[in-house]
């Protein structure tokens, strides 16, 4: 009989241990499920943040592109204005030189000769 008592007590301890282990496994499963949900939520939040940052980056890139295009248009317009002004000045200077040559032909020849002598003297050195 003594052996029967020990075996029953042993069976109870084993079954209690098995139930405790089953409870612990169930708790672990619950904790793993909770952890998986948290990881999924963090991943989702990270993806949302990445989308938000990318959207902001894309918006800034579009604005920079539009500003660059606008600045380029302004630069081209300013360049055209400067070119028109230089062309007008060149034309006016040409007219002024032709008028001066017609009015003072001898002085023009003297100035040209003097310029030639100066250039020759500089090139000889």
């Amino acid at each position: 009989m003594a052996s029967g008592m020990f075996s029953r007590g042993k069976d109870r301890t084993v079954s209690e241990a098995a139930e405790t282990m089953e409870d612990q496994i169930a708790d672990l499963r619950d904790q793993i499920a909770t952890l998986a949900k948290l990881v999924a939520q963090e991943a989702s939040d990270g993806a949302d943040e990445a989308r938000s940052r990318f959207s902001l980056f894309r918006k800034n890139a579009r604005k920079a592109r539009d500003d660059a295009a606008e600045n380029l248009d302004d630069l081209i317009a300013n360049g055209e204005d400067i070119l028109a002004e230089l062309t007008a000045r060149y034309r006016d200077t040409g007219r002024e030189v032709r008028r001066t040559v017609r009015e003072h032909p001898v002085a023009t020849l003297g100035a040209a000769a003097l310029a030639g002598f100066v250039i020759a003297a500089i090139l000889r050195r």
Side-chain angles (χ1 to χ4, degrees), residues 51-62:
R51 280 189 204 103
S52 175
R53 285 185 180 185
F54 182 74
S55 176
L56 181 62
F57 174 75
R58 185 173 33 191
K59 179 181 174 186
N60 289 341
R62 285 181 182 158

Side-chain angles (χ1 to χ4, degrees), residues 19-115:
E19 286 179 19
T20 304
M21 287 178 68
E22 287 176 7
D23 291 341
Q24 289 176 349
I25 290 172
D27 286 343
L28 283 174
R29 284 183 181 156
D30 291 342
Q31 289 176 359
I32 289 172
T34 302
L35 180 62
K37 287 178 185 177
L38 287 174
V39 168
Q41 183 62 41
E42 286 295 322
S44 175
D45 291 347
D48 290 344
E49 183 178 346
R51 280 189 204 103
S52 175
R53 285 185 180 185
F54 182 74
S55 176
L56 181 62
F57 174 75
R58 185 173 33 191
K59 179 181 174 186
N60 289 341
R62 285 181 182 158
K63 185 178 183 322
R65 182 195 63 201
D66 293 343
D67 289 348
E70 183 178 319
N71 290 340
L72 182 61
D73 290 343
D74 291 344
L75 185 62
I76 290 171
N78 288 340
E80 289 173 349
D81 291 344
I82 290 171
L83 182 62
E85 184 179 334
L86 288 175
T87 303
R89 284 185 183 181
Y90 178 75
R91 185 177 42 240
D92 292 344
T93 302
R95 287 180 190 157
E96 185 65 29
V97 167
R98 283 191 294 273
R99 187 183 62 77
T100 302
V101 168
R102 277 191 221 124
E103 289 179 3
H104 309 286
V106 176
T108 303
L109 285 174
L114 181 62

